[in-house]
Amino acid sequence: MIERLIKGYDLDKLAVATIASHTALHILRGAKLYGFRTIAVARPNTAWFYRQFQFIDEVWEADFSNFRPVAERLSRQNAVLVPHGSYVEYVGWRQALEAPVPTLGVRRLIEIEADQFKKMGLLERAGIPTPRVYNSADEVTGPVIVKLFGAKGGRGYFFARDKRELAERLANLAEPHIIQEYVFGVPAYYHYFASPMYSRVEIFGMDIRYETNVDGRTFGLVEPSFVVVGNLPLVLRESLLPTVQRYGEAFAKAVRETLGEDMKGPYSLESIIKDDMSIVVFEFSGRIVAGTNVYMGVGSPYSVLYFDKPMDMGTRIAHELDEARKRGALERIVS
Amino acid sequence: MIERLIKGYDLDKLAVATIASHTALHILRGAKLYGFRTIAVARPNTAWFYRQFQFIDEVWEADFSNFRPVAERLSRQNAVLVPHGSYVEYVGWRQALEAPVPTLGVRRLIEIEADQFKKMGLLERAGIPTPRVYNSADEVTGPVIVKLFGAKGGRGYFFARDKRELAERLANLAEPHIIQEYVFGVPAYYHYFASPMYSRVEIFGMDIRYETNVDGRTFGLVEPSFVVVGNLPLVLRESLLPTVQRYGEAFAKAVRETLGEDMKGPYSLESIIKDDMSIVVFEFSGRIVAGTNVYMGVGSPYSVLYFDKPMDMGTRIAHELDEARKRGALERIVS
Amino acid sequence: MIERLIKGYDLDKLAVATIASHTALHILRGAKLYGFRTIAVARPNTAWFYRQFQFIDEVWEADFSNFRPVAERLSRQNAVLVPHGSYVEYVGWRQALEAPVPTLGVRRLIEIEADQFKKMGLLERAGIPTPRVYNSADEVTGPVIVKLFGAKGGRGYFFARDKRELAERLANLAEPHIIQEYVFGVPAYYHYFASPMYSRVEIFGMDIRYETNVDGRTFGLVEPSFVVVGNLPLVLRESLLPTVQRYGEAFAKAVRETLGEDMKGPYSLESIIKDDMSIVVFEFSGRIVAGTNVYMGVGSPYSVLYFDKPMDMGTRIAHELDEARKRGALERIVS
């Protein structure tokens, strides 16, 4: 279906669209730098905010509970939709899977990510070390972190010190969840870009999430919570980069083997680095992550490994779309 | 008085001056990029440091206890003074209020900031959520932070766990102070620029303060202290930006209503973000904050929302001064 | 010996070489910006990683246990070797001291750094405040940190709360080590560049190390460890910069007095800032530190104090080499 849509596109009028939240600002600014028309699809209460910015050509207000008409309108406007976490949250994964608009990246990852067990399964298939997953509180031998399936941005995560504390907290929990070994170390999030145009996986950046209240000064007086409110830039010890690259490539390979299509566009692996310098990946995102915002406008340190000037992820996406447009190969980077 | 001074200015010889500390380096470098003459007014013991840099045309040594002659000399040199926290600290708020030199921004905010209660009052008038303020230890129901009126850069702040600990520590405290509810969450400082030239409030950047020893590894062995020694860059979850923008605009509006003049130039709101994603503002600064230093030279991520290239705050100020100079509207950005 | 080698160099074919780890990426990228040929000398298992990047002209695989032939080959290729911590670690300090290839900076600092007591001695000679060093557990009056001589990147460091805990942990420790007073405050690492071409010491940047697990969320459940896995950017309160500059210059002077040669190239002082704003330096590095990676490609805030555009340390090194090449003064920046 998407291929047919693309065939009807007027490539001279190609637009880049995204949902007005998450990473919309730097996605649309990057698109504008490459001369694309830009469309922000906003919730009615935040449209005013996006209307301030000159690099956004159009701000649409939309009802996300019925996304199909919006997607159709985007298609009529020759738009590629750049999906992100808020898009999936607003429209729900089923609508996102079926939206009749060319969507950057591998769309079917959305379905895998909707189930924490399938999600971890894909990482395991890639041969990437992951935390132990427990089937029940009985199996637990140390501290754990529990994640609700619908959890977004760290809300609905909780930490339990041991089996007993876990059992207490699970007693009142009806929702689907996953119990993961709590790995001690430091968090690090890697941003990749899988480029069909250059046939490579690029390490594009890194960040640390800034989480409230666990990153605050709480003096042990309140329960830790893990709600992500921002991001901080990070660079890694260079000797760890080959491993980060290998895991990024292994993930792309596992996607190809599992779904039968090439990985493309931005994605992320989310890890803990232990004090033996090993990396344990506890989650992934099959599309752009909010951590890329730390490099908005200024560009990331790692982007200069591949390009003359620092780029941010929005610009990197626009660069790939521009290349694909020139080569008449748009179908290779959307789905 | 200031309008009369400006009328006598030779705009072709306009200089930008500031006190040699705080954010002087990037203020003066930005000014030089726009072709202004640059003057650093230094304490005698640090003048040598500022003399190293080619973008500073003149380094003056001054006696800050008698600032009037310095201000007069600056005026004769066609200078606009960019005020910052160290300026107010060195010359005292009374001298700063009366200095006969055009001063960027809304000068009368200095008087409001000299009184912690008036300061919080302005935020409340803006409708911005603030921490509860207690009139006495008796009212206290949870942890608090106590701030002396004269406290600078976090020195003279202390944390008290409860009513009893607070009472003990207040027993020996004679100085004026404010007792604020201690809000649990993560700190975030927002840098704004109110632009009379473009009639808008810009979100220019964000930072986190790096405070000793509370950000160190103290293993609970020493009392927490909150002395600011540096700053770290931060970006916020994009869904929080509309709120950050609203609070920034509400602050500008409250200034206009309270003081009868337009907000202009850089300012800052200083907040805790709680784990329900609400923002509580516990302080403001009516002028440039040291946190803007994190973007010196390189420019801030958010600055590209308004301009083609990343800018730092010094460059942003110089840009506005340059616009005002061209339009013959200098009086709209100083007071 | 080195002077004789340089005399034989074809300056039009000058190459920049480094060991493929640590800061190699931004060293070689900077070199390429100035038109140097670039050589990465890699361990066989990571050569593939470095071969991806177009700014690296040659990737050599080497046996570091016998470095002499590599050094000779580098010399035949008109290469300047930029040394870093991984180089010293891989080849060992004795081989590094004797390698027959022009090496950026003051090579003899490697020998001083191999002995923690000599290392602290150089800082003391510079008049820079350092933590108290204890000769034995008996002398200890408060918390300490113990560092093995061979410790790299924080591995082999441990913290002891008091005399008793220290004695227990030392009981099983046969290796040479140093016992330092544990200073409470926040860590800050300063990057300097000593420029023979411009006759000055530049403050080039700052960072904080990101250490596992001490910077993780461990809820007090595991022993703190201090393995460096990455770095975070930092700017300092401007009022601290004159002190940072003085210490940087004092270090360069102490090197000249101790070794009879000018300090040159990148180096670092590694400190704790206490809550009285005093700076205690607990270590130095006589060459580029990994913390400079935070500014790769994008450039550091402080670099704009000296140059028109932000530079990273790799670019700064290349700039100096380029100046030296033009002036025929290469011998002034290598040893």
Side-chain angles (χ1 to χ4, degrees):
Chain A
M1 175 193 71
I2 295 303
E3 280 196 36
R4 217 188 48 225
L5 283 175
I6 291 174
K7 283 204 179 112
Y9 268 34
D10 180 346
L11 293 185
D12 292 333
K13 294 187 177 162
L14 204 61
V16 171
T18 195
I19 303 316
S21 189
H22 196 272
T23 43
L25 290 170
H26 91 267
I27 289 170
L28 298 178
R29 183 180 172 273
K32 183 49 71 188
L33 288 178
Y34 276 86
F36 293 104
R37 273 193 319 120
T38 53
I39 301 166
V41 183
R43 288 181 157 176
N45 62 336
T46 57
W48 66 273
F49 178 73
Y50 290 88
R51 291 211 170 92
Q52 299 176 82
F53 305 116
Q54 294 202 338
F55 58 85
I56 306 179
D57 294 318
E58 296 177 32
V59 178
W60 300 359
E61 297 182 27
D63 168 11
F64 291 105
S65 66
N66 180 18
F67 192 67
R68 189 177 180 88
V70 181
E72 288 170 345
R73 187 176 162 205
L74 286 170
S75 273
R76 287 192 303 271
Q77 296 282 324
N78 303 292
V80 169
L81 178 68
V82 180
H84 51 56
S86 299
Y87 165 63
V88 178
E89 187 185 348
Y90 292 0
V91 310
W93 65 269
R94 283 186 187 81
Q95 281 201 102
L97 269 183
E98 291 162 13
V101 57
T103 301
L104 187 81
V106 174
R107 194 196 292 233
R108 281 184 296 157
L109 282 170
I110 292 172
E111 190 169 3
I112 290 176
E113 288 174 73
D115 178 322
Q116 290 275 13
F117 293 101
K118 284 190 193 162
K119 199 168 177 176
M120 297 313 294
L122 185 60
L123 291 169
E124 282 159 30
R125 180 166 315 182
I128 296 169
T130 54
R132 189 170 163 191
V133 170
Y134 297 105
N135 293 313
S136 75
D138 292 341
E139 290 179 9
V140 164
T141 55
V144 296
I145 189 154
V146 178
K147 300 170 183 177
L148 306 190
F149 272 34
K152 286 288 159 199
R155 251 173 310 179
Y157 285 24
F158 65 84
F159 171 78
R161 211 163 288 261
D162 53 29
K163 187 186 292 201
R164 192 203 319 232
E165 191 179 324
L166 175 64
E168 272 172 33
R169 300 197 64 161
L170 288 183
N172 303 311
L173 190 70
E175 297 161 76
H177 59 268
I178 192 168
I179 307 169
Q180 276 186 353
E181 168 196 4
Y182 187 83
V183 179
F184 290 104
V186 286
Y189 298 78
Y190 316 115
H191 320 148
Y192 300 95
F193 190 89
S195 168
M197 295 301 110
Y198 299 113
S199 305
R200 68 188 179 201
V201 167
E202 302 165 5
I203 298 176
F204 214 74
M206 275 162 216
D207 77 290
I208 305 171
R209 289 184 183 162
Y210 191 49
E211 297 179 4
T212 187
N213 58 32
V214 79
D215 292 323
R217 295 109 176 219
T218 57
F219 309 113
L221 297 176
V222 287
E223 276 292 298
S225 57
F226 301 89
V227 178
V228 183
V229 295
N231 302 83
L232 309 174
L234 171 70
V235 297
L236 221 60
R237 203 169 167 144
E238 194 168 304
S239 59
L240 288 167
L241 292 183
T243 303
V244 171
Q245 177 82 32
R246 275 200 297 114
Y247 290 173
E249 292 180 358
F251 180 82
K253 187 158 171 275
V255 167
R256 197 164 50 238
E257 289 172 0
T258 307
L259 297 176
E261 63 176 305
D262 281 346
M263 189 59 204
K264 47 213 171 213
Y267 60 103
S268 170
L269 296 179
E270 310 176 3
S271 81
I272 296 291
I273 308 179
K274 301 202 298 185
D275 62 9
D276 62 2
M277 302 267 269
S278 67
I279 293 174
V280 178
V281 174
F282 60 84
E283 209 155 329
F284 73 83
S285 171
R287 61 208 62 75
I288 190 170
V289 284
T292 59
N293 282 331
V294 297
Y295 303 114
M296 173 158 72
V298 177
S300 81
Y302 295 102
S303 64
V304 302
L305 301 176
Y306 311 95
F307 297 95
D308 277 355
K309 304 211 164 188
M311 276 189 187
D312 63 23
M313 190 57 97
T315 312
R316 181 65 190 88
I317 291 169
H319 178 86
E320 193 83 2
L321 284 169
D322 188 50
E323 278 297 308
R325 170 170 64 173
K326 287 180 194 159
R327 304 186 195 182
L330 207 56
E331 73 286 354
R332 291 184 57 201
I333 61 172
V334 298
S335 65
Chain B
M1 176 192 71
I2 295 303
E3 279 195 38
R4 215 188 49 224
L5 283 174
I6 291 174
K7 283 204 178 111
Y9 268 33
D10 180 348
L11 293 185
D12 291 334
K13 293 186 177 165
L14 204 61
V16 171
T18 195
I19 304 315
S21 190
H22 196 272
T23 42
L25 290 170
H26 90 267
I27 289 171
L28 298 177
R29 183 181 172 273
K32 184 48 71 189
L33 288 178
Y34 276 86
F36 294 104
R37 274 193 319 118
T38 53
I39 301 166
V41 183
R43 288 181 156 174
N45 63 337
T46 57
W48 67 274
F49 178 73
Y50 290 89
R51 291 212 168 91
Q52 300 175 82
F53 304 115
Q54 295 202 337
F55 58 86
I56 306 180
D57 294 318
E58 297 177 32
V59 178
W60 300 359
E61 297 183 26
D63 169 12
F64 291 105
S65 65
N66 180 18
F67 192 67
R68 188 176 181 87
V70 180
E72 288 169 345
R73 188 176 163 206
L74 285 170
S75 272
R76 287 193 302 273
Q77 296 283 321
N78 303 291
V80 169
L81 178 68
V82 180
H84 50 56
S86 298
Y87 166 62
V88 179
E89 186 185 347
Y90 292 179
V91 310
W93 65 269
R94 283 186 186 80
Q95 283 202 98
L97 268 184
E98 290 162 14
V101 57
T103 300
L104 187 81
V106 175
R107 196 196 291 231
R108 282 184 295 158
L109 281 171
I110 292 173
E111 191 169 2
I112 291 176
E113 288 174 73
D115 178 321
Q116 290 276 12
F117 292 101
K118 284 190 194 163
K119 199 169 177 175
M120 299 313 295
L122 185 60
L123 290 169
E124 283 159 28
R125 181 166 315 183
I128 296 170
T130 55
R132 189 170 163 190
V133 171
Y134 297 106
N135 293 313
S136 75
D138 292 341
E139 290 179 9
V140 165
T141 54
V144 295
I145 190 154
V146 178
K147 300 171 182 176
L148 305 190
F149 272 35
K152 286 290 158 198
R155 254 173 308 180
Y157 285 23
F158 65 85
F159 170 78
R161 212 163 287 260
D162 53 29
K163 187 185 292 203
R164 190 203 319 231
E165 191 179 322
L166 174 64
E168 273 171 32
R169 300 196 64 161
L170 288 183
N172 302 311
L173 190 71
E175 297 162 76
H177 59 268
I178 192 168
I179 307 169
Q180 277 185 355
E181 169 197 3
Y182 186 84
V183 179
F184 290 104
V186 287
Y189 298 78
Y190 316 116
H191 320 148
Y192 300 95
F193 190 88
S195 168
M197 295 300 111
Y198 298 113
S199 305
R200 66 188 180 201
V201 168
E202 301 166 6
I203 297 176
F204 215 74
M206 276 162 216
D207 77 291
I208 304 171
R209 289 185 182 161
Y210 190 50
E211 297 179 4
T212 186
N213 59 34
V214 78
D215 292 323
R217 295 107 177 220
T218 57
F219 308 114
L221 296 177
V222 287
E223 276 293 297
S225 57
F226 301 88
V227 178
V228 184
V229 295
N231 303 81
L232 309 174
L234 172 70
V235 297
L236 220 60
R237 203 169 166 143
E238 194 168 305
S239 58
L240 288 168
L241 292 183
T243 303
V244 171
Q245 177 82 32
R246 275 200 297 115
Y247 290 174
E249 293 180 358
F251 180 82
K253 187 159 170 275
V255 167
R256 197 165 48 239
E257 289 171 0
T258 306
L259 297 176
E261 64 176 304
D262 281 346
M263 189 60 204
K264 46 214 171 212
Y267 61 102
S268 170
L269 296 180
E270 310 175 4
S271 81
I272 296 291
I273 309 179
K274 301 202 297 184
D275 62 9
D276 62 1
M277 302 268 270
S278 67
I279 294 174
V280 178
V281 174
F282 59 85
E283 209 154 332
F284 73 83
S285 171
R287 60 209 61 75
I288 190 170
V289 284
T292 59
N293 282 331
V294 298
Y295 303 113
M296 172 159 72
V298 177
S300 80
Y302 295 103
S303 64
V304 301
L305 301 177
Y306 310 96
F307 297 96
D308 276 356
K309 303 211 164 188
M311 277 189 185
D312 62 24
M313 191 57 96
T315 311
R316 181 64 191 88
I317 291 168
H319 178 86
E320 192 84 1
L321 284 170
D322 188 49
E323 279 298 308
R325 170 170 63 172
K326 287 180 194 161
R327 303 187 195 180
L330 207 56
E331 73 286 354
R332 291 183 56 201
I333 62 172
V334 299
S335 64
Chain C
M1 175 193 71
I2 295 303
E3 279 195 39
R4 216 187 51 224
L5 283 175
I6 290 173
K7 281 202 179 113
Y9 267 34
D10 180 346
L11 292 185
D12 291 334
K13 293 186 178 166
L14 205 61
V16 171
T18 195
I19 303 315
S21 190
H22 197 272
T23 42
L25 290 170
H26 89 266
I27 289 170
L28 298 177
R29 183 180 172 274
K32 183 48 70 188
L33 288 178
Y34 276 86
F36 294 104
R37 273 194 319 120
T38 54
I39 301 166
V41 184
R43 287 180 156 176
N45 63 336
T46 57
W48 67 273
F49 178 73
Y50 290 88
R51 290 210 169 93
Q52 300 176 82
F53 305 115
Q54 295 201 337
F55 58 86
I56 306 179
D57 293 319
E58 296 177 32
V59 177
W60 300 0
E61 296 183 26
D63 169 11
F64 291 105
S65 65
N66 180 19
F67 193 67
R68 188 176 181 87
V70 181
E72 289 171 344
R73 188 176 162 206
L74 286 169
S75 272
R76 286 195 302 273
Q77 297 282 323
N78 304 291
V80 169
L81 179 67
V82 180
H84 51 55
S86 299
Y87 165 62
V88 179
E89 186 185 348
Y90 292 0
V91 309
W93 65 269
R94 283 186 187 79
Q95 283 203 100
L97 268 183
E98 292 163 12
V101 57
T103 301
L104 187 81
V106 175
R107 196 195 291 232
R108 282 183 297 157
L109 281 170
I110 292 172
E111 191 169 3
I112 291 176
E113 288 174 73
D115 179 322
Q116 290 276 13
F117 292 102
K118 285 190 192 163
K119 199 169 177 176
M120 297 314 294
L122 185 60
L123 290 169
E124 282 158 29
R125 180 166 316 183
I128 295 170
T130 54
R132 188 170 164 191
V133 170
Y134 297 105
N135 294 312
S136 75
D138 292 341
E139 290 179 8
V140 164
T141 55
V144 295
I145 190 154
V146 178
K147 300 170 181 178
L148 306 190
F149 272 34
K152 287 289 159 199
R155 253 174 308 180
Y157 285 22
F158 65 85
F159 171 78
R161 211 162 287 260
D162 53 29
K163 187 186 292 203
R164 191 204 317 232
E165 191 178 322
L166 175 64
E168 272 172 33
R169 301 196 63 159
L170 288 182
N172 303 310
L173 190 70
E175 296 161 77
H177 60 268
I178 191 168
I179 307 169
Q180 277 186 354
E181 170 197 3
Y182 186 83
V183 179
F184 290 104
V186 287
Y189 298 77
Y190 316 115
H191 321 147
Y192 299 96
F193 190 89
S195 168
M197 296 300 110
Y198 299 111
S199 304
R200 67 186 180 201
V201 167
E202 301 165 7
I203 297 176
F204 215 74
M206 275 162 217
D207 78 290
I208 305 171
R209 289 184 182 162
Y210 190 50
E211 298 179 3
T212 185
N213 59 32
V214 79
D215 292 322
R217 294 108 177 220
T218 57
F219 308 113
L221 296 176
V222 287
E223 276 292 298
S225 57
F226 302 87
V227 177
V228 184
V229 295
N231 302 82
L232 310 174
L234 171 70
V235 297
L236 221 60
R237 202 168 166 145
E238 195 167 304
S239 59
L240 288 167
L241 291 183
T243 303
V244 170
Q245 177 81 31
R246 276 200 296 115
Y247 290 173
E249 292 180 358
F251 180 82
K253 187 158 170 274
V255 167
R256 196 163 51 239
E257 288 172 0
T258 306
L259 297 177
E261 63 176 305
D262 281 345
M263 189 60 204
K264 46 215 171 211
Y267 60 103
S268 170
L269 296 180
E270 308 174 5
S271 81
I272 295 291
I273 309 178
K274 301 202 298 186
D275 61 10
D276 61 3
M277 302 268 270
S278 67
I279 294 174
V280 178
V281 174
F282 60 85
E283 210 155 330
F284 73 83
S285 171
R287 60 208 63 74
I288 190 170
V289 284
T292 59
N293 283 331
V294 297
Y295 303 114
M296 172 158 73
V298 177
S300 81
Y302 296 104
S303 64
V304 301
L305 300 177
Y306 310 97
F307 297 96
D308 277 355
K309 303 211 165 191
M311 277 189 186
D312 62 23
M313 190 57 97
T315 311
R316 182 63 191 89
I317 291 168
H319 179 86
E320 192 84 2
L321 284 169
D322 187 49
E323 278 298 309
R325 170 170 64 173
K326 287 181 194 160
R327 304 187 195 180
L330 207 55
E331 73 286 354
R332 292 184 55 201
I333 62 172
V334 298
S335 66

